[in-house]
Amino acid sequence: MPPSVYRNEKGIVLPLVLVVFSALLLLVFTAISVTSAENKESAWQSRRMQAFYLARSGAETFATYLIEKAYTTDFAEMMQFLDNIANKTSDAAEIEDGTLVIETVRRTEKGEEKLDIIARGTYQGVTEMVTVTLQLTIKETEDYDPSTAQHALMVFDADATKAFQLTGGAFVDGDVILNTTKENSVVFRGGQGFNIKNGALYLPHGADPHHVIDTDRGESNGNAPEEYKKNIEKGVKFMTMPTYPSAVFPELVFPELPHLPRAEEPELKTTVWNKTYIIAEDGYYDLIHPVSGRTIYVDLAGGDRIVRVKHFQMDGNVELINVGENSKLILYVEDYFYTGTWSFNGNGNPENVQVYYAGSSPVVLDGATRFSGNIFIKQAKLTLTAGGKMKGNVVTLGEKVEVKGGAFAESAALYAPLAHVELREGGRIDGAVMCRSYYSDGGTKIKFEPVSYTIPGEFFDGSKSITIDYDQDPWH
């Protein structure tokens, strides 16, 4: 990116490295082309031509720079950049016997946003001005939903020493997409059948499979499909890693929920055996803790129920009643989330439960837990273990996810762009996984299945995009 130094009031030094480079080339060309004509035309006309080409080159190069930058830059960053340069004038850049000044004017015309680049080239005392108009188009993009993934596993990290490891007979059923080109960063060890079944291993274009893949089944893999039959049923293929947005935890609505009333009993604990425990109003709790196998019922009353709690622990059940067609329990958990050998909406629809967890203590779905819902984790480790069963989706910004001890995630999209994911001891995921790096050992598997439940799109960047292009009849 060309360097830029911004002046506070009178103007700015726009990014002029490319401008100057291009202008110099044109000056040399113009100087050569007009030398033979100087005997026929006045020196003034010659200087005017030089000034025009200087201005035209500056405007065109800066326009090209903005068009390309909009294509490759995050929306928020690009909007800030445009705000920084709008309605400003650069300092004069000296080029041989001339100077170049660029001014920008951001305006709206008939509901469309325009950016005028006004370039003034001066050569030996003669000044020419060129204006090019760009059109700025802001579009709302569709909500991103990882549950629409069509692959079993995608691993984002391009720098991990070991990005993808299958050992002891572990396998993936479906396509695997990797971003790594590092030596021996893909590891296959043990097992008798395919490591990747019913799918291909996709590497970045230009990657050398011999360099990347480390297998204990004879020589390293080659480039012909036959050579991959020992590990990968459909061979190695090549593609560009798709671009996925970063997950965004909903800071604007959590944990500050001032409209939630304080619960009459801020510690909801099922200590009386013959009492029915019902949450029938939105509210804030210090503790929700069903104990001794007893049940807390959440009455959705055909709509949504919003609950915020500091500490959530299950040694009993949490079930929903009076569930409407689109009803949801929206549960905000501050510092602790643990389920024991019980049910949280266990036989219900996962789309009726959304749990948001902001704490740093690990999230544990333990024992024979049956959890049906979507979980959004800000920073904590997630562990599904000891036969726990989950149906629904997980979005996490934490750095570690474990599925082990016979635990099973069903119809799940696991979107964990910052996390190392491990499947151990018979752990299984049916759905799709997106993660930073991946390891699994004996008896574990990911099996691609189309995910039946959606993830709300407000948890992902990229809801807007900006494109910059030349306006109709742009040159003036």
Side-chain angles (χ1 to χ4, degrees):
M1 179 184 298
S4 55
V5 181
Y6 297 104
R7 292 165 53 185
N8 293 328
E9 297 178 358
K10 294 184 179 180
I12 59 171
V13 178
L14 295 171
L16 288 177
V17 171
L18 291 178
V19 175
V20 171
F21 179 74
S22 180
L24 281 173
L25 291 180
L26 279 172
L27 276 174
V28 172
F29 172 79
T30 306
I32 295 173
S33 63
V34 302
T35 299
S36 60
E38 286 186 346
N39 293 329
K40 300 178 181 180
E41 296 185 22
S42 67
W44 181 85
Q45 288 288 352
S46 175
R47 293 195 296 273
R48 181 184 177 190
M49 184 179 294
Q50 296 278 22
F52 171 79
Y53 274 108
L54 179 58
R56 170 82 183 212
S57 175
E60 186 168 16
T61 305
F62 190 51
T64 300
Y65 169 74
L66 291 177
I67 291 170
E68 293 179 353
K69 183 175 177 65
Y71 181 76
T72 59
T73 304
D74 173 76
F75 174 78
E77 182 182 342
M78 188 66 201
M79 293 300 291
Q80 183 62 57
F81 180 80
L82 290 172
D83 288 343
N84 289 341
I85 69 170
N87 306 312
K88 303 287 177 61
T89 302
S90 74
D91 290 329
E94 295 186 3
I95 305 172
E96 296 292 336
D97 294 328
T99 59
L100 175 64
V101 175
I102 290 182
E103 177 186 357
T104 60
V105 177
R106 191 172 178 180
R107 57 188 175 83
T108 301
E109 180 182 299
K110 297 180 180 179
E112 296 182 338
E113 192 166 0
K114 313 282 187 179
L115 182 70
D116 294 326
I117 299 172
I118 304 166
R120 295 179 178 85
T122 301
Y123 185 77
Q124 294 183 359
V126 179
T127 299
E128 287 289 313
M129 183 178 75
V130 172
T131 299
V132 62
T133 300
L134 302 178
Q135 181 168 322
L136 282 57
T137 304
I138 297 174
K139 295 181 179 179
E140 297 280 348
T141 58
E142 294 183 1
D143 289 342
Y144 171 71
D145 188 349
S147 65
T148 61
Q150 296 299 309
H151 51 266
L153 176 65
M154 177 172 289
V155 178
F156 296 122
D157 201 333
D159 298 317
T161 303
K162 302 296 181 186
F164 174 66
Q165 301 179 76
L166 298 177
T167 67
F171 68 92
V172 174
D173 191 331
D175 289 331
V176 175
I177 302 173
L178 306 180
N179 199 31
T180 182
T181 58
K182 287 205 167 186
E183 183 177 11
N184 296 331
S185 56
V186 176
V187 177
F188 298 121
R189 288 288 184 273
Q192 300 299 317
F194 296 116
N195 299 106
I196 298 176
K197 301 180 179 181
N198 300 311
L201 175 67
Y202 288 87
L203 295 176
H205 291 289
D208 180 1
H210 293 92
H211 180 76
V212 173
I213 298 172
D214 176 16
T215 174
D216 60 352
R217 301 187 190 180
E219 296 180 358
S220 293
N221 288 317
N223 200 30
E226 291 78 14
E227 297 184 48
Y228 296 107
K229 290 300 184 181
K230 297 176 182 178
N231 298 110
I232 307 160
E233 186 166 1
K234 295 188 177 180
V236 171
K237 301 179 181 179
F238 300 91
M239 68 177 289
T240 301
M241 171 67 71
T243 300
Y244 288 87
S246 298
V248 180
F249 199 80
E251 297 288 0
L252 295 179
V253 295
F254 181 84
E256 295 299 329
L257 297 168
H259 63 283
L260 287 186
R262 189 80 173 176
E264 292 185 9
E265 297 182 24
E267 292 195 358
L268 183 56
K269 194 171 182 179
T270 59
T271 53
V272 181
W273 72 269
N274 60 349
K275 179 179 178 180
T276 300
Y277 294 86
I278 298 177
I279 297 175
E281 295 181 347
D282 295 352
Y284 174 76
Y285 295 82
D286 290 324
L287 172 70
I288 294 178
H289 187 189
V291 299
S292 303
R294 301 183 183 117
T295 300
I296 294 175
Y297 297 95
V298 182
D299 185 354
L300 302 188
D304 292 346
R305 180 69 60 227
I306 301 175
V307 176
R308 175 184 170 192
V309 60
K310 284 186 178 180
H311 188 107
F312 181 90
Q313 181 172 344
M314 285 175 51
D315 294 296
N317 306 306
V318 175
E319 302 295 351
L320 310 182
I321 58 175
N322 297 321
V323 180
E325 182 177 356
N326 297 307
S327 292
K328 289 183 177 65
L329 166 61
I330 302 173
L331 177 64
Y332 297 94
V333 182
E334 291 185 15
D335 60 15
Y336 188 80
F337 185 87
Y338 176 88
T339 67
T341 310
W342 305 101
S343 169
F344 190 139
N345 189 39
N347 296 317
N349 187 334
E351 293 189 329
N352 295 133
V353 174
Q354 292 178 195
V355 176
Y356 304 96
Y357 177 61
S360 57
S361 298
V363 175
V364 181
L365 304 182
D366 199 1
T369 297
R370 291 179 294 116
F371 179 91
S372 182
N374 296 300
I375 302 180
F376 305 89
I377 300 171
K378 182 177 181 179
Q379 58 188 323
K381 173 183 175 181
L382 169 65
T383 298
L384 182 60
T385 185
K389 183 176 181 180
M390 176 181 175
K391 180 187 293 185
N393 304 307
V394 177
V395 175
T396 176
L397 298 180
E399 296 183 354
K400 183 73 174 290
V401 175
E402 289 182 321
V403 180
K404 62 183 182 178
F408 177 34
E410 178 186 2
S411 191
L414 170 59
Y415 189 74
L418 306 180
H420 175 67
V421 173
E422 291 190 1
L423 268 66
R424 297 178 179 272
E425 305 161 10
R428 173 176 172 178
I429 296 174
D430 282 5
V433 176
M434 288 142 278
C435 61
R436 177 178 59 83
S437 56
Y438 179 80
Y439 172 89
S440 64
D441 62 18
T444 64
K445 72 175 181 178
I446 296 174
K447 181 180 180 182
F448 171 70
E449 294 283 356
V451 177
S452 304
Y453 311 107
T454 59
I455 295 175
E458 62 264 25
F459 300 96
F460 301 94
D461 283 333
S463 59
K464 292 183 178 180
S465 64
I466 182 169
T467 58
I468 300 177
D469 209 341
Y470 287 104
D471 198 14
Q472 292 183 343
D473 302 318
W475 294 98
H476 309 284

